[in-house]
Amino acid sequence: MLTNEARAFVKQWSESLLDLGPVLTGTNNTVSMGEIRSLYNRMLAQNPAPAGITFEHVVIGGVSGQVAIPDVLKTDAIVVYIHGGAYIVGGPDGYHGISGNLAKMMGAKVFLPDYRLAPEHPFPASIDDTLRFYKGLLDAGHPASKIVFAGESAGGAMTVTVMVAARNAGVPLPAGGVAISPWANLEHTGISMTNREGIDPLNSKTGLVFLASVFLEGALPNHPMASPVFADVTGLPPIMVQMGEAELMLTDGMRLATHLAENRVRMTLEVWPHMFHAWHFVADLQPEAQQAMESAALFLEQCLRKAEK
């Protein structure tokens, strides 16, 4: 079950976006999207990086971002961490906790692309930017076999869709990826969208449908580059999907795992009882969050070792 500290953070997380819908619909003109995004990042930043991690600004492939650098580097392999936020909010400043934990656990640099956000830049801008960032790393001399992806929510979906985009463009694929609570099906047809309503402390189906419409701006929700459950995933490297049992996206995340497996992608599915959407944020507050981070790091390390052979 959740600790009191984790429960309090989740409540604050949920409340941090109360103005988002009214601002997007134009019924609240007193707050700007920039202010909402800054507030959201400051809220997430309450989960700090562990000691021994520094952050630097980077521009890779023409896309801004940050890199988390551990004091003790154990490898020249790197992680590309793709942040979530419904393609509308979120940014590297709010992700020092997750990226810093990964960097320290793996002894590796973790890069965070600061991709463009909707509604100013709707689908597929976020995917295009993240692919450019990845290609920029390759152009800078980082072999694909020494790169892995990770991301949560929208970033969990992009962990898969950016791989699909890279494959379609003839770009070498990374060694593997971890999709945390992926927002994998923008049709929202999984049964957990119904039977976890009111149990999920962060999301509602009505809210997710609205946010998806803002991101898609007229594109179909079953577009394969928006919903990876509909994508051609053949030939992708090993992928881990981690889901919280209490989240609305549970069934659709499990559908993504099945879709990968049925298309001969080596995959691992973890479902964590009682955990909420992207519980990894509270690694300092919830034992299961720390354990899930460790499991993700181990999986990525195994992908990198296999790619070396």
Side-chain angles (χ1 to χ4, degrees):
M1 302 298 289
L2 297 186
T3 65
N4 289 335
E5 295 82 0
R7 198 180 303 276
F9 174 77
V10 170
K11 183 175 184 293
Q12 186 180 8
W13 189 357
S14 177
E15 292 174 349
S16 71
L17 291 177
L18 288 177
D19 288 327
L20 179 60
V23 169
L24 289 171
T25 58
T27 58
N28 182 352
N29 296 317
T30 65
V31 183
S32 69
M33 279 301 303
E35 290 170 327
I36 287 178
R37 288 168 178 152
S38 294
L39 174 65
Y40 186 75
N41 282 338
R42 288 198 302 273
M43 181 276 304
L44 292 182
Q46 293 178 84
N47 301 291
I53 304 293
T54 57
F55 290 84
E56 295 180 1
H57 178 262
V58 294
V59 178
I60 307 231
V63 178
S64 293
Q66 294 183 23
V67 56
I69 306 172
D71 289 349
V72 180
L73 270 175
K74 302 176 183 176
T75 176
D76 59 351
I78 61 175
V79 181
V80 176
Y81 190 89
I82 311 169
H83 74 77
Y87 304 98
I88 295 171
V89 295
D93 285 344
Y95 282 75
H96 287 188
I98 285 184
S99 63
N101 277 317
L102 270 180
K104 189 153 192 175
M105 289 174 185
M106 297 178 64
K109 293 181 180 180
V110 178
F111 288 81
L112 300 101
D114 193 11
Y115 58 82
R116 290 171 295 167
L117 299 171
E120 300 93 332
H121 305 283
F123 171 79
S126 54
I127 298 164
D128 293 343
D129 286 357
T130 307
L131 178 59
R132 286 169 55 209
F133 192 92
Y134 173 57
K135 290 170 67 176
L137 288 169
L138 297 177
D139 292 342
H142 298 281
S145 61
K146 291 195 173 186
I147 301 175
V148 286
F149 288 179
E152 103 293 341
S153 195
M158 281 200 285
T159 293
V160 177
T161 54
V162 174
M163 289 184 186
V164 171
R167 183 208 59 204
N168 291 349
V171 175
L173 293 177
V178 173
I180 300 166
S181 297
W183 195 18
N185 178 12
L186 300 193
E187 287 192 331
H188 305 117
T189 50
I191 188 61
S192 58
M193 286 286 167
T194 300
N195 64 26
R196 262 62 175 180
E197 186 77 72
I199 296 174
D200 185 325
L202 286 170
N203 296 304
S204 69
K205 182 175 181 180
T206 299
L208 291 174
V209 169
F210 170 70
L211 293 174
S213 71
V214 172
F215 166 59
L216 291 168
E217 199 182 55
L220 292 174
N222 65 354
H223 192 295
M225 296 307 291
S227 296
V229 295
F230 302 109
D232 174 6
V233 296
T234 55
L236 298 193
I239 293 172
M240 170 183 276
V241 174
Q242 293 182 316
M243 301 300 302
E245 170 269 327
E247 61 177 304
L248 290 179
M249 297 178 192
L250 172 63
T251 307
D252 288 327
M254 295 172 66
R255 177 176 171 182
L256 175 62
T258 299
H259 180 55
L260 290 163
E262 288 179 342
N263 285 277
R264 297 178 176 170
V265 176
R266 168 70 175 89
M267 74 81 46
T268 298
L269 171 66
E270 293 185 349
V271 179
W272 290 72
H274 307 295
M275 290 300 103
F276 55 92
H277 183 69
W279 69 102
H280 300 56
F281 277 108
V282 293
D284 291 342
L285 307 176
Q286 185 73 34
E288 291 89 342
Q290 177 72 15
Q291 293 159 11
M293 288 288 299
E294 291 170 352
S295 180
L298 178 61
F299 180 84
L300 294 174
E301 288 171 342
Q302 291 171 340
C303 290
L304 289 164
R305 285 197 295 269
K306 181 180 178 182
E308 286 180 356
K309 296 180 179 177

